[in-house]
Amino acid sequence: MAACYSQNNVTSYDNMDILVITLQAFAGTWINGFIISVLCMAWVKKKSLNSNEKILLFLGCCRVLYLCIAWVSSFLQEIYPLCYQVQPIPRILTASQSFLNFTNLWVSACLYVFYCIKIANFRHTFFTYLKANIDRMVPWLLLVSVLLSLVIGILIYEVAQEAQFGNFDFTSLGNLWKLSIRVDEHFFPVFLAASLGFAISFMAVIFSAFLLLFSLWRHKLRMQTNSMKNHSMDVHIKAIKYILSFLFIYTINFTCLVLTLAYATKEANPLVFLLSVVQYAFPAVHSLILIFSNPNLKKTLLRALPCVRCKVCKR
């Protein structure tokens, strides 16, 4: 480790990269840490958690770990590149980021599917079965998400072990890696499996959102036909707004993923920097929307903010 020293020829993009990553990692860790603390206190108080709270708690833990490891990896790559090349540090960081990254995506997709099954209204036998058994299926869905992500993480670790890290650069700027060399036949199965995982999770989110839209549209037609309104209609409209905002964020994130892959071999430029900023903001922004879409989390946050302002004023 004696070779681990700071490199002086750090470019302006590297400096901005480290600054933005640090700020976004801090914000994302604080937001997801808030979710974890509130749900853990509710768990201790009630001695149990519902399915929605279980998914949120698990997702919050994954994102905190992901942001911490991503920040450490980026800091070592930019400030202490020689230290980053000391084996097995790059392999461990690469595999850990891959595992937590895919866990984050799959658990987020599970949350969308859970909302769809709970909120949407369909009389199909299979959908009725899912609605009646979704609470018992949630732990299994989380377990499958972890196992699939673990497989990807192991594959990435094996590839990283055989690759030269001077040429193979894995960065976790919002869910992806950047290749600075030609992907040969040895790497292709891993990247194909990873890309398939990204695509499946994204399609699950889109499919769930459209099912919710269709369910809301049918419910609205019934209300208009009967010339009556109720609280359920308002709840459905509010829920679908949050789902559409989730879908909008996921679409931006997926678009940035595709663009970053397209510019993977390019030199640092403002567009690549902007893409990295948007992708690193995803865990924080998405979790913030989750807080405001959850009545208990929103109430706790709004109740805590005046206390924060008071403490600042006293100082």
Side-chain angles (χ1 to χ4, degrees):
M1 285 291 180
C4 297
Y5 59 87
S6 178
Q7 187 174 345
N8 294 325
N9 58 341
V10 181
T11 66
S12 59
Y13 284 114
D14 294 334
N15 290 328
M16 288 295 297
D17 197 32
I18 290 297
L19 177 61
V20 171
I21 289 174
T22 301
L23 293 176
Q24 291 181 326
F26 176 79
T29 302
W30 187 90
I31 293 172
N32 288 281
F34 171 80
I35 295 177
I36 295 172
S37 60
V38 172
L39 293 179
C40 285
M41 288 188 294
W43 192 0
V44 172
K45 185 177 181 180
K46 299 187 301 181
K47 307 298 182 183
S48 63
L49 292 176
N50 58 42
S51 298
N52 180 42
E53 293 171 337
K54 291 177 183 178
I55 300 176
L56 290 176
L57 179 59
F58 192 81
L59 182 62
C61 293
C62 290
R63 285 180 170 173
V64 168
L65 292 174
Y66 172 79
L67 289 170
C68 291
I69 294 179
W71 181 84
V72 171
S73 178
S74 299
F75 184 81
L76 290 178
Q77 289 184 66
E78 302 294 349
I79 306 301
Y80 297 97
L82 296 181
C83 182
Y84 183 80
Q85 295 176 6
V86 177
Q87 302 296 338
I89 292 178
R91 295 201 302 268
I92 294 176
L93 290 176
T94 297
S96 300
Q97 291 176 57
S98 303
F99 168 71
L100 293 171
N101 181 27
F102 276 91
T103 303
N104 175 22
L105 285 177
W106 280 103
V107 174
S108 299
C110 290
L111 184 63
Y112 279 89
V113 174
F114 175 80
Y115 285 160
C116 175
I117 295 175
K118 278 292 186 179
I119 298 175
N121 236 338
F122 296 100
R123 295 183 179 180
H124 194 276
T125 305
F126 181 68
F127 194 87
T128 304
Y129 172 81
L130 290 178
K131 186 180 287 287
N133 296 275
I134 186 62
D135 291 324
R136 289 183 294 180
M137 295 169 60
V138 165
W140 293 103
L141 290 175
L142 296 179
L143 179 60
V144 171
S145 300
V146 172
L147 293 178
L148 290 175
S149 302
L150 185 61
V151 171
I152 297 295
I154 293 175
L155 290 176
I156 293 294
Y157 182 87
E158 294 298 327
V159 170
Q161 188 174 11
E162 299 180 10
Q164 294 180 352
F165 274 85
N167 292 329
F168 185 79
D169 178 25
F170 184 96
T171 57
S172 63
L173 299 180
N175 316 330
L176 59 101
W177 54 86
K178 297 190 294 183
L179 292 174
S180 57
I181 59 172
R182 180 181 57 86
V183 179
D184 57 21
E185 295 180 357
H186 180 75
F187 298 104
F188 180 75
V190 177
F191 298 121
L192 179 62
S195 301
L196 186 62
F198 281 118
I200 292 177
S201 62
F202 182 67
M203 292 303 298
V205 171
I206 292 180
F207 187 68
S208 300
F210 276 102
L211 283 179
L212 280 171
L213 282 172
F214 182 71
S215 178
L216 176 64
W217 177 71
R218 290 200 315 170
H219 187 72
K220 183 179 179 180
L221 287 181
R222 291 196 190 101
M223 292 294 101
Q224 291 177 344
T225 302
N226 298 329
S227 299
M228 55 185 298
K229 296 182 179 180
N230 56 19
H231 181 66
S232 177
M233 183 65 177
D234 296 332
V235 172
H236 275 68
I237 293 177
K238 188 176 181 179
I240 206 65
K241 288 180 179 179
Y242 282 119
I243 292 295
L244 287 175
S245 64
F246 296 160
L247 178 62
F248 178 72
I249 294 176
Y250 255 80
T251 303
I252 293 178
N253 184 64
F254 186 79
T255 303
C256 290
L257 168 64
V258 174
L259 291 176
T260 306
L261 289 176
Y263 285 88
T265 58
K266 306 293 183 180
E267 294 293 333
N269 59 71
L271 178 58
V272 174
F273 175 73
L274 178 61
L275 292 175
S276 66
V277 170
V278 174
Q279 291 168 30
Y280 244 113
F282 172 73
V285 176
H286 183 251
S287 295
L288 190 62
I289 295 178
L290 289 176
I291 291 176
F292 284 98
S293 65
N294 186 289
N296 294 330
L297 292 175
K298 180 181 178 180
K299 182 179 178 180
T300 305
L301 178 63
L302 296 179
R303 192 168 50 195
L305 286 178
C307 297
V308 175
R309 289 197 295 267
C310 291
K311 290 181 180 179
V312 174
C313 292
K314 289 180 180 180
R315 291 178 184 178

